[in-house]
Amino acid sequence: MNMPSMHSGGFTADRLLLFGATGDLAQRMLLPSLCALHADELIDPELKIVATARSELTNHEYRNFARAALEKYLPADRRGGMADFLNRLSYQPLDATTLDGFNALAEKVGQPGQGLAIFLSTAPSLFEPTIKGLQHAGLDGANVRMCLEKPLGTDLATSREINDAVASAFPEERIFRIDHYLGKETVQNLLALRFANLMFEPIWNAAHIDHVQITVAETVGLEGRVGFYDDAGALRDMVQNHMLQLLALVAMEPPGSFDATAVRDEKVKVLRALRQVESGETVTGQYRAGAINGKAVPGYDDELGRESNTETFVAIKSHVDNWRWKGVPFYLRTGKRLPERVTEIVVQFRCVPHSIFAGKGATMQPNRLVIGIQPEENITLSLMTKVPGLDREGIRLRQVPLNIAMPDAFSGAVRRIAYERLLLDLIEGDQTLFVRRDEVEAQWQWIDAIRAGWQADGLIPKTYTAGSWGPSAAIALAERDGVSWHE
Ligand code: BG6
């Protein structure tokens, strides 16, 4: 048994209460992550998991449901001790819209020895009634933590409503807001790269960096999330949370230490320094029928069954208005039904100030750092080198990659689901990789202003063919500045 690390917040939870326990997230991520943590003996044998949702299921039926989810979503070699894991689970049906069932739920949870962690992954409309129900049943004491899964509102106003409702029962130091990108190993590695190496930080600024690109490209389409996605769109579904968190990690000042307050203080400063985007600095798109990896796929309107003005692609030229980043554009783009699944950050450095080889006919390209987050986890630094030879006809230089493939560098290490890390941190009470209220609100503020701009301009998404890199205007957005998207 590995010892749990001790963090602020004081207790390691020995009860976990999962709302939305029959939902998609529970099946794909939460149950598999918990089972994998169990298999690796990372959670205390005493930890009991109470699952709740509207369906009328017995404990036995829920365990069967969980087993089916694990067999589908967790690789067989990570399912060690699955039967024991299933025995940790119990189930209590609940209609969260009324107070009636909460006392029975509290009874099922019982008295925790140390503390209770609650994971709320339900429709946002159920947040408020659920908080009321928890208060009613006394499940809001000093030894209770609350974890919230997105979407946390659809704009600043609705996000504040949710945050206020949660804050009426739990103080901020016991609220854990998930952005699952922060649970990804390569995203955390970004901090190691920046702050555990000497060579990057001195040149990590406007004097040496020309621009930054952040791409989150997906090949999937609507995936049956018709109702949710059409009300959200790419800006709110991906940029408001995941992409702004990546941007904040790239742009933040070095925190004094790797702890929840220091890291989040620095991130929020970046989010607050985001310059309001001007019209002409965003491009939106919506996919039409096309092909991905040689397979025909329908258009967004076909999948939806009607026309819609929701964007499935967005590209933004953004700026962080502070000393470090003066004049450095951050180009962001994300979309569904793009040619490949790739999440990466590209840091494009400036040219050397003077080429000593110019008189010998050599051309140079500036250095570039590419941080691959998924599916490939790698770090590539492009360097200029001399092409071997006697140089009788001039010196030739060529860009070559210095490439670290993380899986090769750490071949023995288990590749974990982002939620494994986040659930463990929730149980142990470490907020470093969770999003603080001021961050969420700064994110929404910036996003709301973009949406207001779109509305004022009457912006309608341009169409793009599924399997392409979005509307051509997105390419033009970067090329106007002499920048090409990294592909
Ligand atoms: C979710 C979005 O937050 O992130 C989805 O709602 C998106 O639309 C998903 O597909 C992407 O996550 P990942 O981990 O697959 O990059």
Side-chain angles (χ1 to χ4, degrees), residues 134-162:
L134 292 169
Q135 285 179 301
H136 171 79
L139 289 173
D140 61 343
N143 62 346
V144 183
R145 285 187 194 119
M146 171 57 86
C147 178
L148 305 169
E149 179 56 65
K150 74 178 266 251
L152 293 183
T154 51
D155 56 13
L156 179 60
T158 50
S159 123
R160 279 198 174 136
E161 272 170 36
I162 293 172

mmCIF file of all heavy atoms in Angstrom, residues 134-162:
data_model
loop_
_atom_site.group_PDB
_atom_site.id
_atom_site.type_symbol
_atom_site.label_atom_id
_atom_site.label_comp_id
_atom_site.label_asym_id
_atom_site.label_seq_id
_atom_site.Cartn_x
_atom_site.Cartn_y
_atom_site.Cartn_z
ATOM 1 N N LEU A 134 -28.006 18.523 0.072
ATOM 2 C CA LEU A 134 -26.863 18.116 0.889
ATOM 3 C C LEU A 134 -26.874 18.863 2.215
ATOM 4 O O LEU A 134 -26.620 18.280 3.283
ATOM 5 C CB LEU A 134 -25.550 18.394 0.141
ATOM 6 C CG LEU A 134 -25.295 17.526 -1.104
ATOM 7 C CD1 LEU A 134 -24.121 18.073 -1.911
ATOM 8 C CD2 LEU A 134 -25.030 16.071 -0.696
ATOM 9 N N GLN A 135 -27.193 20.158 2.144
ATOM 10 C CA GLN A 135 -27.268 20.956 3.382
ATOM 11 C C GLN A 135 -28.368 20.407 4.287
ATOM 12 O O GLN A 135 -28.180 20.250 5.480
ATOM 13 C CB GLN A 135 -27.555 22.426 3.053
ATOM 14 C CG GLN A 135 -26.345 23.154 2.509
ATOM 15 C CD GLN A 135 -26.657 24.597 2.159
ATOM 16 O OE1 GLN A 135 -27.531 24.859 1.344
ATOM 17 N NE2 GLN A 135 -25.941 25.523 2.772
ATOM 18 N N HIS A 136 -29.488 20.119 3.672
ATOM 19 C CA HIS A 136 -30.644 19.602 4.405
ATOM 20 C C HIS A 136 -30.282 18.323 5.163
ATOM 21 O O HIS A 136 -30.680 18.118 6.299
ATOM 22 C CB HIS A 136 -31.766 19.347 3.389
ATOM 23 C CG HIS A 136 -32.945 18.616 3.920
ATOM 24 N ND1 HIS A 136 -33.922 19.235 4.667
ATOM 25 C CD2 HIS A 136 -33.313 17.302 3.814
ATOM 26 C CE1 HIS A 136 -34.840 18.337 4.998
ATOM 27 N NE2 HIS A 136 -34.491 17.164 4.500
ATOM 28 N N ALA A 137 -29.490 17.476 4.508
ATOM 29 C CA ALA A 137 -29.156 16.181 5.121
ATOM 30 C C ALA A 137 -27.865 16.239 5.933
ATOM 31 O O ALA A 137 -27.371 15.208 6.380
ATOM 32 C CB ALA A 137 -29.048 15.124 4.016
ATOM 33 N N GLY A 138 -27.320 17.427 6.090
ATOM 34 C CA GLY A 138 -26.104 17.562 6.905
ATOM 35 C C GLY A 138 -24.848 17.066 6.219
ATOM 36 O O GLY A 138 -23.832 16.780 6.877
ATOM 37 N N LEU A 139 -24.888 16.973 4.888
ATOM 38 C CA LEU A 139 -23.696 16.503 4.162
ATOM 39 C C LEU A 139 -22.847 17.690 3.686
ATOM 40 O O LEU A 139 -22.344 17.707 2.561
ATOM 41 C CB LEU A 139 -24.109 15.637 2.965
ATOM 42 C CG LEU A 139 -24.684 14.266 3.306
ATOM 43 C CD1 LEU A 139 -25.228 13.564 2.067
ATOM 44 C CD2 LEU A 139 -23.624 13.377 3.978
ATOM 45 N N ASP A 140 -22.710 18.687 4.535
ATOM 46 C CA ASP A 140 -21.951 19.880 4.142
ATOM 47 C C ASP A 140 -20.992 20.312 5.262
ATOM 48 O O ASP A 140 -20.590 21.468 5.324
ATOM 49 C CB ASP A 140 -22.906 21.031 3.812
ATOM 50 C CG ASP A 140 -23.774 21.431 5.005
ATOM 51 O OD1 ASP A 140 -23.873 20.617 5.956
ATOM 52 O OD2 ASP A 140 -24.327 22.531 4.996
ATOM 53 N N GLY A 141 -20.643 19.371 6.122
ATOM 54 C CA GLY A 141 -19.815 19.721 7.288
ATOM 55 C C GLY A 141 -18.377 20.047 6.926
ATOM 56 O O GLY A 141 -17.985 20.021 5.751
ATOM 57 N N ALA A 142 -17.580 20.331 7.957
ATOM 58 C CA ALA A 142 -16.191 20.747 7.761
ATOM 59 C C ALA A 142 -15.321 19.627 7.190
ATOM 60 O O ALA A 142 -14.208 19.873 6.737
ATOM 61 C CB ALA A 142 -15.612 21.224 9.091
ATOM 62 N N ASN A 143 -15.841 18.392 7.239
ATOM 63 C CA ASN A 143 -15.051 17.287 6.675
ATOM 64 C C ASN A 143 -15.642 16.815 5.342
ATOM 65 O O ASN A 143 -15.556 15.639 5.003
ATOM 66 C CB ASN A 143 -14.969 16.123 7.669
ATOM 67 C CG ASN A 143 -16.345 15.561 7.973
ATOM 68 O OD1 ASN A 143 -17.367 16.192 7.653
ATOM 69 N ND2 ASN A 143 -16.393 14.381 8.562
ATOM 70 N N VAL A 144 -16.250 17.771 4.606
ATOM 71 C CA VAL A 144 -16.812 17.418 3.298
ATOM 72 C C VAL A 144 -16.182 18.304 2.221
ATOM 73 O O VAL A 144 -16.089 19.514 2.389
ATOM 74 C CB VAL A 144 -18.354 17.607 3.268
ATOM 75 C CG1 VAL A 144 -18.907 17.159 1.918
ATOM 76 C CG2 VAL A 144 -19.019 16.835 4.393
ATOM 77 N N ARG A 145 -15.729 17.670 1.125
ATOM 78 C CA ARG A 145 -15.195 18.403 -0.027
ATOM 79 C C ARG A 145 -16.146 18.251 -1.191
ATOM 80 O O ARG A 145 -16.735 17.191 -1.379
ATOM 81 C CB ARG A 145 -13.881 17.773 -0.494
ATOM 82 C CG ARG A 145 -12.760 18.077 0.363
ATOM 83 C CD ARG A 145 -11.440 17.581 -0.220
ATOM 84 N NE ARG A 145 -10.514 17.645 0.873
ATOM 85 C CZ ARG A 145 -9.866 16.604 1.382
ATOM 86 N NH1 ARG A 145 -9.994 15.404 0.843
ATOM 87 N NH2 ARG A 145 -9.081 16.768 2.410
ATOM 88 N N MET A 146 -16.216 19.300 -2.006
ATOM 89 C CA MET A 146 -17.131 19.266 -3.138
ATOM 90 C C MET A 146 -16.357 19.421 -4.435
ATOM 91 O O MET A 146 -15.618 20.385 -4.607
ATOM 92 C CB MET A 146 -18.139 20.408 -2.968
ATOM 93 C CG MET A 146 -19.029 20.648 -4.133
ATOM 94 S SD MET A 146 -19.966 19.185 -4.571
ATOM 95 C CE MET A 146 -21.359 19.352 -3.501
ATOM 96 N N CYS A 147 -16.537 18.462 -5.333
ATOM 97 C CA CYS A 147 -15.853 18.527 -6.621
ATOM 98 C C CYS A 147 -16.890 18.743 -7.721
ATOM 99 O O CYS A 147 -17.913 18.059 -7.751
ATOM 100 C CB CYS A 147 -15.116 17.202 -6.833
ATOM 101 S SG CYS A 147 -14.265 17.092 -8.386
ATOM 102 N N LEU A 148 -16.632 19.702 -8.584
ATOM 103 C CA LEU A 148 -17.603 20.050 -9.620
ATOM 104 C C LEU A 148 -17.034 19.780 -11.001
ATOM 105 O O LEU A 148 -15.901 20.132 -11.290
ATOM 106 C CB LEU A 148 -17.944 21.541 -9.544
ATOM 107 C CG LEU A 148 -18.442 22.069 -8.214
ATOM 108 C CD1 LEU A 148 -18.471 23.584 -8.246
ATOM 109 C CD2 LEU A 148 -19.830 21.522 -7.926
ATOM 110 N N GLU A 149 -17.862 19.203 -11.829
ATOM 111 C CA GLU A 149 -17.443 18.908 -13.208
ATOM 112 C C GLU A 149 -18.123 19.901 -14.126
ATOM 113 O O GLU A 149 -19.212 20.385 -13.843
ATOM 114 C CB GLU A 149 -17.861 17.464 -13.518
ATOM 115 C CG GLU A 149 -17.565 16.918 -14.879
ATOM 116 C CD GLU A 149 -16.098 16.972 -15.296
ATOM 117 O OE1 GLU A 149 -15.247 16.292 -14.685
ATOM 118 O OE2 GLU A 149 -15.813 17.696 -16.263
ATOM 119 N N LYS A 150 -17.477 20.256 -15.227
ATOM 120 C CA LYS A 150 -18.062 21.184 -16.183
ATOM 121 C C LYS A 150 -19.326 20.611 -16.821
ATOM 122 O O LYS A 150 -19.474 19.397 -16.795
ATOM 123 C CB LYS A 150 -17.036 21.580 -17.233
ATOM 124 C CG LYS A 150 -16.753 20.473 -18.270
ATOM 125 C CD LYS A 150 -15.766 20.933 -19.297
ATOM 126 C CE LYS A 150 -16.473 21.489 -20.511
ATOM 127 N NZ LYS A 150 -16.369 20.644 -21.702
ATOM 128 N N PRO A 151 -20.195 21.341 -17.442
ATOM 129 C CA PRO A 151 -20.114 22.782 -17.622
ATOM 130 C C PRO A 151 -20.569 23.558 -16.384
ATOM 131 O O PRO A 151 -21.646 23.277 -15.855
ATOM 132 C CB PRO A 151 -21.071 23.048 -18.792
ATOM 133 C CG PRO A 151 -22.050 21.914 -18.767
ATOM 134 C CD PRO A 151 -21.352 20.751 -18.145
ATOM 135 N N LEU A 152 -19.727 24.489 -15.950
ATOM 136 C CA LEU A 152 -20.105 25.328 -14.807
ATOM 137 C C LEU A 152 -20.645 26.640 -15.352
ATOM 138 O O LEU A 152 -19.974 27.662 -15.343
ATOM 139 C CB LEU A 152 -18.897 25.607 -13.916
ATOM 140 C CG LEU A 152 -18.327 24.399 -13.188
ATOM 141 C CD1 LEU A 152 -17.184 24.785 -12.292
ATOM 142 C CD2 LEU A 152 -19.427 23.720 -12.376
ATOM 143 N N GLY A 153 -21.867 26.573 -15.854
ATOM 144 C CA GLY A 153 -22.501 27.761 -16.404
ATOM 145 C C GLY A 153 -22.245 27.899 -17.887
ATOM 146 O O GLY A 153 -21.447 27.149 -18.471
ATOM 147 N N THR A 154 -22.934 28.864 -18.472
ATOM 148 C CA THR A 154 -22.794 29.099 -19.913
ATOM 149 C C THR A 154 -22.241 30.494 -20.177
ATOM 150 O O THR A 154 -21.986 30.862 -21.314
ATOM 151 C CB THR A 154 -24.161 28.976 -20.607
ATOM 152 O OG1 THR A 154 -25.086 29.811 -19.901
ATOM 153 C CG2 THR A 154 -24.663 27.549 -20.586
ATOM 154 N N ASP A 155 -22.101 31.275 -19.133
ATOM 155 C CA ASP A 155 -21.486 32.603 -19.228
ATOM 156 C C ASP A 155 -21.119 33.043 -17.815
ATOM 157 O O ASP A 155 -21.337 32.284 -16.852
ATOM 158 C CB ASP A 155 -22.412 33.617 -19.910
ATOM 159 C CG ASP A 155 -23.769 33.737 -19.222
ATOM 160 O OD1 ASP A 155 -23.917 33.236 -18.088
ATOM 161 O OD2 ASP A 155 -24.676 34.329 -19.807
ATOM 162 N N LEU A 156 -20.589 34.262 -17.702
ATOM 163 C CA LEU A 156 -20.136 34.708 -16.381
ATOM 164 C C LEU A 156 -21.294 34.720 -15.372
ATOM 165 O O LEU A 156 -21.145 34.263 -14.241
ATOM 166 C CB LEU A 156 -19.504 36.101 -16.487
ATOM 167 C CG LEU A 156 -19.004 36.696 -15.181
ATOM 168 C CD1 LEU A 156 -17.936 35.819 -14.543
ATOM 169 C CD2 LEU A 156 -18.459 38.112 -15.403
ATOM 170 N N ALA A 157 -22.458 35.226 -15.812
ATOM 171 C CA ALA A 157 -23.581 35.353 -14.880
ATOM 172 C C ALA A 157 -24.013 33.987 -14.349
ATOM 173 O O ALA A 157 -24.173 33.806 -13.130
ATOM 174 C CB ALA A 157 -24.740 36.066 -15.573
ATOM 175 N N THR A 158 -24.190 33.014 -15.241
ATOM 176 C CA THR A 158 -24.669 31.705 -14.778
ATOM 177 C C THR A 158 -23.575 30.972 -13.990
ATOM 178 O O THR A 158 -23.867 30.230 -13.056
ATOM 179 C CB THR A 158 -25.157 30.832 -15.946
ATOM 180 O OG1 THR A 158 -24.144 30.836 -16.949
ATOM 181 C CG2 THR A 158 -26.445 31.349 -16.539
ATOM 182 N N SER A 159 -22.322 31.224 -14.361
ATOM 183 C CA SER A 159 -21.252 30.572 -13.597
ATOM 184 C C SER A 159 -21.210 31.153 -12.181
ATOM 185 O O SER A 159 -20.973 30.427 -11.209
ATOM 186 C CB SER A 159 -19.927 30.712 -14.347
ATOM 187 O OG SER A 159 -18.954 31.333 -13.588
ATOM 188 N N ARG A 160 -21.464 32.470 -12.074
ATOM 189 C CA ARG A 160 -21.500 33.075 -10.729
ATOM 190 C C ARG A 160 -22.633 32.495 -9.896
ATOM 191 O O ARG A 160 -22.473 32.270 -8.701
ATOM 192 C CB ARG A 160 -21.692 34.587 -10.837
ATOM 193 C CG ARG A 160 -20.400 35.287 -11.138
ATOM 194 C CD ARG A 160 -20.501 36.776 -10.805
ATOM 195 N NE ARG A 160 -19.193 37.380 -10.975
ATOM 196 C CZ ARG A 160 -18.970 38.538 -11.574
ATOM 197 N NH1 ARG A 160 -19.984 39.257 -12.045
ATOM 198 N NH2 ARG A 160 -17.747 39.011 -11.678
ATOM 199 N N GLU A 161 -23.777 32.269 -10.546
ATOM 200 C CA GLU A 161 -24.914 31.685 -9.807
ATOM 201 C C GLU A 161 -24.513 30.336 -9.216
ATOM 202 O O GLU A 161 -24.778 30.059 -8.044
ATOM 203 C CB GLU A 161 -26.103 31.455 -10.742
ATOM 204 C CG GLU A 161 -27.013 32.651 -10.871
ATOM 205 C CD GLU A 161 -28.037 32.446 -11.985
ATOM 206 O OE1 GLU A 161 -28.510 31.291 -12.173
ATOM 207 O OE2 GLU A 161 -28.328 33.432 -12.682
ATOM 208 N N ILE A 162 -23.876 29.523 -10.047
ATOM 209 C CA ILE A 162 -23.459 28.200 -9.564
ATOM 210 C C ILE A 162 -22.431 28.352 -8.447
ATOM 211 O O ILE A 162 -22.526 27.730 -7.382
ATOM 212 C CB ILE A 162 -22.895 27.353 -10.721
ATOM 213 C CG1 ILE A 162 -24.017 27.024 -11.698
ATOM 214 C CG2 ILE A 162 -22.236 26.077 -10.208
ATOM 215 C CD1 ILE A 162 -23.557 26.358 -12.972
#
